[in-house]
Amino acid sequence: MNSFAPLQNDTFLRALRREPTDYTPIWLMRQAGRYLPEYRATRAQAGSFMQLAQNPDLATEVTLQPIDRYGLDAAILFSDILTVPDAMGLGLRFVENEGPKFDRPLQDEVAVHRLEVPDMAKLQYVFDAVTQIRQSLNGRVPLIGFAGSPYTIACYMVEGGSSSEFRTIKTMMYTRPDLLHHILSVNAQATALYLNAQIDAGAQAVMIFDTWGGSLSHSAYKEFSLAYMRQVIGALKRNVDGESVPVIVFTKGGGQWLEAMSEIGADALGLDWTTNLAEAKKRVAGKVALQGNIDPSILFGSEALIRQTARLVLDEYGADAGHVFNLGHGISQFVQPDAVKYLVDEVHAYSRQIRGAK
Ligand code: CP3
């Protein structure tokens, strides 16, 4: 097994475990990305997004860039949720300005029945990146591993790319639910293996991104998204060498399902900006920690607005244990890098102040 340097800043892990911290830890979804000039330089060197993700040296470099620049409290593996369907043989390509595309989407019964849990050896480049990032972090902050939710990756697998109305997958859901359940069951098994291999490789917490669960009806969410996330979580390694490995679940647009989400075995729930943090905290009643939830577009505002809104979010949660500060969704490529500095500084300074005043 791997042996890694001891952790120097465990604030993020403590917050996920709902233990007291000196301040509120912060990291940002998509923190390694195109808004950073140093990311754009490394990506140009790699040639493409997938070549960057598949090269552990370069993936390590871009993972550490935002940590070096801002002093964030957690690093997140540089990769993508679509590596799993790629390993299933669907043929992933990223088309400039159009996003991800699959050459062989699952649009008929034959294709669906051919789908199998992939050999994890095909994803070895991800696990190598995890180990190398963890070594390079040298204990500075914890490393988050991640995967897409079974339903969210199914959206891309069935639609063949990004979609706004999800006509193909919803037609399958309402005409051949058996086919969709088959895909989701394979995805859930693959996702559990994938996250466990990331944990073995050195990930200290894992996050499930359910970006599209919020497009479902109330009952469909529970049947097609939540139930499969529960299966994944139930199969995860939750303890490594006496340290717990916390699990974060984020359904974008999932604010109305927090009570149900808090029952599936996750340690923390991610919230988008449409939910009030104080109310969410009451609703989950101390069962889980909360992560979020400033509107990512605040980063287009002035320094004063960014600082003021960060304080509002921190005041909503209050000084109790169990809050990880984050955006309500990924950072935009059009954000000016200094905006992130104002946010991180304000969260660190003001949250220390709230705790001091307690
Ligand atoms: O957060 C991080 O810094 C870690 C890396 C990360 C990426 N994608 C890198 C990436 C993570 C956690 C993801 C998750 C992901 N990928 C999600 C779930 C979270 C969310 O944003 O809702 C989804 C839906 C995807 C699928 C995906 N990957 C899309 C739709 C796109 C294209 C859209 C875009 O922003 O261009 C990607 C590409 C991608 N993944 C980029 C990055 C940094 C941009 C690639 C580039 O450099 O061109």
Side-chain angles (χ1 to χ4, degrees):
M1 279 315 292
N2 299 302
S3 100
F4 298 110
L7 196 51
Q8 293 151 28
N9 174 357
D10 66 350
T11 315
F12 167 73
L13 293 178
R14 291 179 62 88
L16 291 178
R17 296 174 185 138
R18 285 170 288 129
E19 295 167 4
T21 56
D22 297 339
Y23 63 90
T24 303
I26 172 170
W27 71 279
L28 309 178
M29 290 189 261
R30 288 280 178 97
Q31 62 192 21
R34 285 169 293 189
Y35 72 104
L36 289 176
E38 58 269 37
Y39 170 86
R40 293 196 298 269
T42 312
R43 187 184 185 282
Q45 191 189 333
S48 69
F49 169 71
M50 276 313 275
Q51 283 170 304
L52 176 51
Q54 288 173 343
N55 179 323
D57 289 335
L58 297 181
T60 299
E61 189 177 307
V62 295
T63 301
L64 266 62
Q65 287 170 350
I67 310 300
D68 290 338
R69 199 190 249 262
Y70 302 115
L72 295 154
D73 296 290
I76 181 161
L77 160 70
F78 187 81
S79 188
D80 200 81
I81 64 168
L82 301 178
T83 52
V84 172
D86 186 46
M88 289 166 165
L90 273 63
L92 176 63
R93 290 178 291 126
F94 280 91
V95 182
E96 209 62 49
N97 302 321
E98 279 184 56
K101 296 267 179 253
F102 282 111
D103 290 330
R104 291 173 289 282
L106 304 178
Q107 292 176 345
D108 58 54
E109 185 154 4
V110 176
V112 171
H113 283 301
R114 226 187 278 132
L115 189 71
E116 280 179 15
V117 175
D119 182 350
M120 288 295 131
K122 293 197 177 122
L123 292 157
Q124 191 57 45
Y125 66 91
V126 176
F127 314 133
D128 289 344
V130 169
T131 303
Q132 200 172 319
I133 295 163
R134 176 90 187 263
Q135 277 160 351
S136 299
L137 280 168
N138 198 25
R140 283 166 70 188
V141 291
L143 174 60
I144 307 167
F146 71 92
S149 74
Y151 182 74
T152 292
I153 61 174
C155 286
Y156 292 94
M157 294 161 76
V158 174
E159 298 290 338
S162 300
S163 172
S164 52
E165 58 177 9
F166 301 105
R167 182 156 54 89
T168 320
I169 192 168
K170 289 199 172 183
T171 301
M172 184 185 282
M173 177 181 297
Y174 291 122
T175 59
R176 290 296 307 272
D178 58 311
L179 294 184
L180 186 53
H181 278 300
H182 178 74
I183 296 172
L184 294 169
S185 159
V186 174
N187 286 357
Q189 293 169 56
T191 302
L193 287 175
Y194 184 57
L195 288 175
N196 279 337
Q198 291 184 33
I199 293 168
D200 285 340
Q204 289 152 291
V206 294
M207 174 150 164
I208 300 176
F209 285 89
D210 186 29
T211 307
W212 303 122
S215 68
L216 294 171
S217 73
H218 190 74
S219 63
Y221 174 69
K222 292 188 180 163
E223 180 179 347
F224 294 94
S225 186
L226 194 69
Y228 291 94
M229 292 198 285
R230 183 199 294 271
Q231 268 186 33
V232 173
I233 295 171
L236 293 183
K237 302 187 180 180
R238 303 298 285 276
N239 227 290
V240 173
D241 302 330
E243 284 279 305
S244 73
V245 181
V247 179
I248 310 165
V249 166
F250 170 56
T251 293
K252 182 163 175 281
Q256 66 276 43
W257 299 308
L258 296 179
E259 290 83 354
M261 291 171 73
S262 71
E263 306 281 351
I264 63 169
D267 298 274
L269 303 182
L271 297 176
D272 70 26
W273 60 96
T274 60
T275 301
N276 177 284
L277 205 48
E279 283 167 26
K281 187 178 161 200
K282 274 194 215 129
R283 287 170 53 202
V284 301
K287 284 191 195 141
V288 286
L290 294 174
Q291 174 173 281
N293 69 339
I294 205 167
D295 182 348
S297 300
I298 286 293
L299 295 174
F300 297 127
S302 65
E303 175 178 351
L305 181 79
I306 294 169
R307 291 185 182 273
Q308 182 197 347
T309 315
R311 289 196 295 273
L312 280 174
V313 171
L314 288 166
D315 281 334
E316 273 176 19
Y317 194 90
D320 293 337
H323 182 209
V324 172
F325 202 102
N326 206 318
L327 308 177
H329 196 205
I331 187 168
S332 157
Q333 60 172 308
F334 302 108
V335 161
Q336 295 299 313
D338 274 352
V340 173
K341 186 165 146 316
Y342 308 140
L343 180 67
V344 175
D345 288 352
E346 191 64 35
V347 168
H348 282 163
Y350 186 70
S351 64
R352 277 186 199 277
Q353 203 179 312
I354 306 182
R355 279 171 181 68
K358 218 171 107 166

